[in-house]
Amino acid sequence: MIPNMWYAVADSDEIKPGKPYGLRRMGDDLVFWRDQQGKIVVMLDRCPHRSAKLSPGKIVDGNIQCGFHGFQYNAEGDVQLIPANGRSGPKPKAFKCRKLEAREAHGFIWLWNGEDRDEYPPIPWFDNLDGFSYHNSTSQTHWEVDYTRAVEAQLDVSHLPFVHENTIGRGNQTLVNGPYTTLEDNVIRVWLSNQPDEGLPALKPSQLPPPEVPQSIYFIFPNVWQLRLTDKMCIVSINAPIDDENVITYSRTYQNILRVPGLSRLFVSASNRFNQYALSEDYRVTKTQLPKKADLDIGERFIPGDRPIALYLQHRRKLILEGQGNGLPEHNRESV
Ligand code: FES
Ligand SMILES: [Fe+2]
């Protein structure tokens, strides 16, 4: 995990009011719930009394109630009621749940992986989705790999005619010119210029003119990705880390073509199904990659067409080292 970053970890629609949800994310078992105002609360899924999970409990009067002895905790994690002590009995401060810094934005739930701060940076998001909708249609795909392998697959432009031979990689465009790739402010942009091999060597990124159209791939660190299909349609995915060997990819189709809600809902959910099929094609290969976590210096080699992946891994390493230079481990919470 990269320190001091917001990670998108779940779909807003997953966490309904009035009920706690246990989700494993970033190596911890967490409980997600909403307070009386509907604001998202995320805590370690462990009761400070006798260590039962909180997620099988209930929401009572805007508090989360542990199912074991009925202790209630508010959105700050402070104990509000210890039934065995009586309503007016003592509520020692030591009974406090560990709360995580969480936000809700763009229909996703985000967790801060880093040091506590007075002020947090804004949630990273795309600047090209105004007027686009996804109609709350989000698909989920579970892969048994570290999330970095899923990010790599999304930045891999030379696998298309092989892994997706009959779907998104049709046309035998095996020659990878460039790709022209930029990294700026924790954003990687990639312009695809693959073509069928007509006998000439692939062009280097420096031989390609600066692109005049928007990027094909738009990746925001640490785990948010967009693939532009047309001016009016794109896929957005987040790779939510479960732990070092599991990731859930949430995918949406954003479109600006159909305005009639019923039709556009049908359209985006059909597109999501197609996208899930393409992801299953990726997974057939990705699940065979070892180690399950991508990194530099693990004996893998790069070709020029792997430039987006190399940039991702290099920048990821740099951000982790910067965090460590400031005394931050990759993962800053106690394990549960
Ligand atoms: S373990 Fe939660 S109230 Fe006792
Ligand atoms: Fe792929």
Side-chain angles (χ1 to χ4, degrees):
M1 307 290 299
I2 303 174
N4 285 343
M5 296 220 126
W6 286 111
Y7 275 79
V9 297
D11 180 22
S12 286
D13 284 351
E14 271 179 296
I15 313 302
K16 313 262 188 256
K19 186 175 159 4
Y21 293 82
L23 301 178
R24 187 166 174 78
R25 292 290 184 273
M26 306 185 358
D28 286 321
D29 290 326
L30 304 173
V31 58
F32 290 63
W33 55 285
R34 293 182 185 278
D35 70 9
Q36 259 161 338
Q37 284 71 48
K39 193 162 168 261
I40 200 79
V41 182
V42 183
M43 297 170 165
L44 292 189
D45 194 3
R46 195 61 65 191
C47 179
H49 179 219
R50 311 295 308 154
S51 299
K53 280 196 169 186
L54 291 164
S55 52
K58 289 183 189 161
I59 305 301
V60 179
D61 302 330
N63 296 322
I64 187 165
Q65 176 181 284
C66 178
F68 200 173
H69 311 96
F71 288 30
Q72 290 184 18
Y73 304 93
N74 67 13
E76 294 306 312
D78 300 318
V79 72
Q80 300 296 295
L81 176 65
I82 299 180
N85 289 352
R87 289 208 162 265
S88 53
K91 302 174 187 77
K93 284 196 172 24
F95 292 93
K96 186 167 175 72
C97 303
R98 174 84 158 85
K99 188 188 158 202
L100 280 70
E101 202 63 37
R103 298 279 186 282
E104 190 164 15
H106 313 295
F108 287 118
I109 294 163
W110 305 71
L111 289 178
W112 176 250
N113 181 58
E115 65 206 352
D116 292 341
R117 294 183 171 185
D118 292 334
E119 275 189 44
Y120 292 84
I123 300 290
W125 193 243
F126 305 109
D127 57 12
N128 61 350
L129 290 180
D130 283 353
F132 284 65
S133 59
Y134 70 98
H135 280 293
N136 292 53
S137 176
T138 306
S139 65
Q140 296 185 23
T141 310
H142 178 192
W143 285 7
E144 291 182 4
V145 296
D146 183 71
Y147 83 100
T148 49
R149 286 293 191 193
V151 172
E152 264 192 344
Q154 292 174 335
L155 296 173
D156 187 319
V157 298
S158 58
H159 79 293
L160 294 166
F162 301 96
V163 172
H164 306 293
E165 192 179 358
N166 298 312
T167 54
I168 52 175
R170 266 194 304 262
N172 205 28
Q173 301 195 339
T174 53
L175 193 79
V176 176
N177 293 315
Y180 193 93
T181 310
T182 62
L183 165 65
E184 203 179 341
D185 295 337
N186 295 335
V187 172
I188 293 177
R189 294 171 199 268
V190 184
W191 283 260
L192 265 174
S193 41
N194 296 4
Q195 64 166 80
D197 188 344
E198 288 158 355
L200 292 172
L203 296 173
K204 298 193 178 79
S206 57
Q207 294 173 302
L208 290 168
E212 288 167 7
V213 289
Q215 71 282 316
S216 317
I217 297 170
Y218 182 169
F219 172 74
I220 309 178
F221 274 84
N223 69 335
V224 184
W225 173 90
Q226 183 191 110
L227 177 67
R228 177 176 170 274
L229 300 174
T230 71
D231 281 349
K232 294 176 176 291
M233 186 176 169
C234 64
I235 309 289
V236 166
S237 289
I238 64 159
N239 289 307
I242 298 175
D243 54 31
D244 287 351
E245 301 200 341
N246 291 277
V247 57
I248 291 204
T249 303
Y250 294 80
S251 296
R252 297 173 175 168
T253 301
Y254 280 80
Q255 61 89 24
N256 192 6
I257 309 166
L258 295 164
R259 301 291 181 155
V260 182
L263 276 182
S264 57
R265 197 166 283 122
L266 276 178
F267 177 76
V268 296
S269 58
S271 168
N272 284 353
R273 274 197 297 282
F274 177 77
N275 188 43
Q276 265 187 307
Y277 182 75
L279 280 170
S280 73
E281 294 179 319
D282 285 307
Y283 188 46
R284 281 205 284 271
V285 179
T286 306
K287 70 181 175 193
T288 70
Q289 286 182 287
L290 287 175
K292 284 172 178 276
K293 186 177 197 159
D295 208 343
L296 301 167
D297 311 325
I298 54 171
E300 296 180 1
R301 308 217 179 315
F302 296 102
I303 55 171
D306 292 328
R307 181 170 154 77
I309 299 173
L311 270 182
Y312 163 67
L313 293 174
Q314 285 162 358
H315 191 60
R316 176 177 170 274
R317 169 73 65 90
K318 178 172 169 266
L319 293 171
I320 289 171
L321 289 176
E322 277 173 11
Q324 285 168 346
N326 293 328
L328 288 174
E330 281 191 43
H331 187 270
N332 74 327
R333 284 184 294 284
E334 68 271 30
S335 287
V336 282

